[in-house]
Amino acid sequence: MKISKKTILNVVLILFILSFFVTPIGYYGKIWLNRAFAFSPEIIEKNEQEKITDYDWRLKDEAWNFFNFEESKGNVIFINLWASWRLPSEAELASIQELYDKYKGKVDFYIITNEEQEPVKAFIAEHEFTFPVTYLIIGEKMPIETAKVPSSYLIDKSGNIVVHEEGISDWSTNKVYKLMERLIAE
């Protein structure tokens, strides 16, 4: 019995596809695909931007201490809602790390999760992320919608929501950097 080239190629293709479901190769392949198809976020037109009017929002910092979002009033704010168990969140966080590295100290970063502290610490250490993690307090009043994960907001100094993206975006692009520079300069 002779096996044709076409049959061998089909078997290899099937094995490759199966590897995405049953091996770590598939996991990393899915992360790569999410990153490959992530695009720069869309900027909301000035006349369509909503404004945050209530900054009174309690959160917890990395040390599990309470603080108020109000301390960011008047600053450029980047908010990302994420979960360590959501593959799109993991794919997006690498570009957020790059954004944080470029603008820490100039922009207030809130990388927010509603998970327990220990698994989050392990996830952050495993991926060598250095941005500050913020913990959501369920039941607190919030100025933004927190149900969709991942999702992100970019807020200008006046409280206008300049970007609101649901799902994964690439935050490490020239388009985003130009927007950040403009917002910081205002």
Side-chain angles (χ1 to χ4, degrees):
M1 179 173 156
K2 188 175 180 183
I3 301 175
S4 71
K5 260 186 172 176
K6 186 176 179 181
T7 302
I8 292 171
L9 287 174
N10 284 337
V11 169
V12 168
L13 180 62
I14 289 169
L15 289 174
F16 177 73
I17 291 170
L18 282 175
S19 75
F20 270 77
F21 296 102
V22 295
T23 69
I25 293 170
Y27 179 78
Y28 294 112
K30 288 182 235 177
I31 296 240
W32 181 84
L33 284 172
N34 269 277
R35 287 182 183 153
F37 290 103
F39 301 103
S40 285
E42 290 300 315
I43 300 167
I44 301 170
E45 294 294 325
K46 193 80 167 159
N47 61 340
E48 295 178 18
Q49 292 176 0
E50 294 180 28
K51 188 175 188 119
I52 290 180
T53 56
D54 185 5
Y55 283 78
D56 186 20
W57 180 23
R58 285 185 346 136
L59 298 155
K60 288 183 183 176
D61 65 15
E62 290 177 298
W64 217 243
N65 297 314
F66 291 98
F67 71 95
N68 198 302
F69 182 68
E70 197 161 280
E71 63 190 45
S72 289
K73 191 172 187 173
N75 296 335
V76 176
I77 304 166
F78 176 82
I79 300 172
N80 178 263
L81 302 158
W82 67 284
S84 64
W85 53 270
R86 294 284 319 251
L87 191 128
S89 288
E90 183 176 345
E92 182 178 45
L93 288 174
S95 72
I96 291 172
Q97 178 66 55
E98 291 174 20
L99 185 69
Y100 174 74
D101 290 342
K102 189 165 178 74
Y103 292 103
K104 65 182 167 194
K106 298 177 186 174
V107 173
D108 290 353
F109 284 85
Y110 292 90
I111 316 302
I112 302 173
T113 184
N114 67 357
E115 297 177 76
E116 294 294 321
Q117 193 176 24
E118 288 310 312
V120 169
K121 281 183 177 181
F123 177 86
I124 295 296
E126 176 186 342
H127 293 84
E128 300 177 351
F129 293 133
T130 61
F131 49 70
V133 175
T134 307
Y135 295 89
L136 186 66
I137 302 169
I138 307 298
E140 281 287 314
K141 65 179 181 172
M142 299 168 240
I144 60 167
E145 175 59 45
T146 60
K148 301 225 183 231
V149 174
S151 63
S152 300
Y153 295 83
L154 185 56
I155 302 164
D156 70 12
K157 292 177 181 178
S158 300
N160 298 308
I161 299 174
V162 179
V163 173
H164 174 217
E165 284 289 313
E166 292 181 359
I168 185 172
S169 292
D170 183 357
W171 293 96
S172 183
T173 66
N174 285 332
K175 176 183 173 184
V176 172
Y177 295 158
K178 285 177 185 174
L179 174 62
M180 295 295 272
E181 294 295 336
R182 181 175 60 83
L183 294 177
I184 291 167
E186 287 180 347

